[in-house]
Amino acid sequence: PPPPPPPPPKPSPPPPAAPPKSDTLFGFSGSDIVKSGAPGVKPLDLNALPSIPTPSFTAPKLSEFSAGSPPPTKKAAAPPSTPAFTGSMATGPVCAPKEDGCVQSTKAAGVPVVPAWAYPSKLKGVEAGRMLKRALQQCGATYVGESSGPGKLLKLSATFSTGVFGTTTDTLDFVIDPSLGAVAFRATSPGDAGRARGRLGRIRTRLSTGGSGKWSEVS
């Protein structure tokens, strides 16, 4: 006899249904959360909650605050006074007795001496004074003052701030004598006469490179 026919193929299972779309977080709505509570628990009615009064606050007016006293302002310290000068180059600016760190161009016993300067002969005394003032400012002077003396003498005084945080003040005094074409001076650097000598050297070098000629040392 012929073999029996093969069994018919089994139908394929239907594809799983897509989950329902929901615009709530993770597919849960507020009503679903309430329904999932314990039996007998009533949903929370937010409208039944007592209202909480909002505290009132009135901002104070600026006029109610006292202005108070402004902090005291620190006045700038006046430059230290320098000795007055009279006469000629022989009595130019000199160091005070036992003044530490002071050098001068006027020869005196027990005082370090730096030779006076002679400025170029083509310069007038006023022009030499302007050049010296500009050189002092270029070398870092915090103050430069000038005044006239007898016999057309011209005096310049300058201060420099040095040391830690600029707490040390160095002073320089110059006397320009147009009749001699020379400059006498004293320079004080408290505790360090070498600093005073070095600054004088830098100032004279700057003057000599200014284009008007060499400022030389004289004995």
Side-chain angles (χ1 to χ4, degrees), residues 81-151:
S81 59
T82 53
F85 70 94
T86 57
S88 63
M89 296 294 293
T91 55
V94 295
C95 302
K98 298 181 179 180
E99 186 174 3
D100 186 26
C102 183
V103 298
Q104 64 185 42
S105 58
T106 303
K107 295 181 180 180
V111 180
V113 175
V114 176
W117 302 341
Y119 56 84
S121 57
K122 63 181 180 181
L123 293 178
K124 297 181 180 180
V126 176
E127 296 171 335
R130 283 199 295 263
M131 285 191 63
L132 179 55
K133 181 178 182 179
R134 183 166 59 251
L136 290 168
Q137 293 171 337
Q138 291 172 344
C139 288
T142 56
Y143 166 81
V144 179
E146 54 183 313
S147 59
S148 58

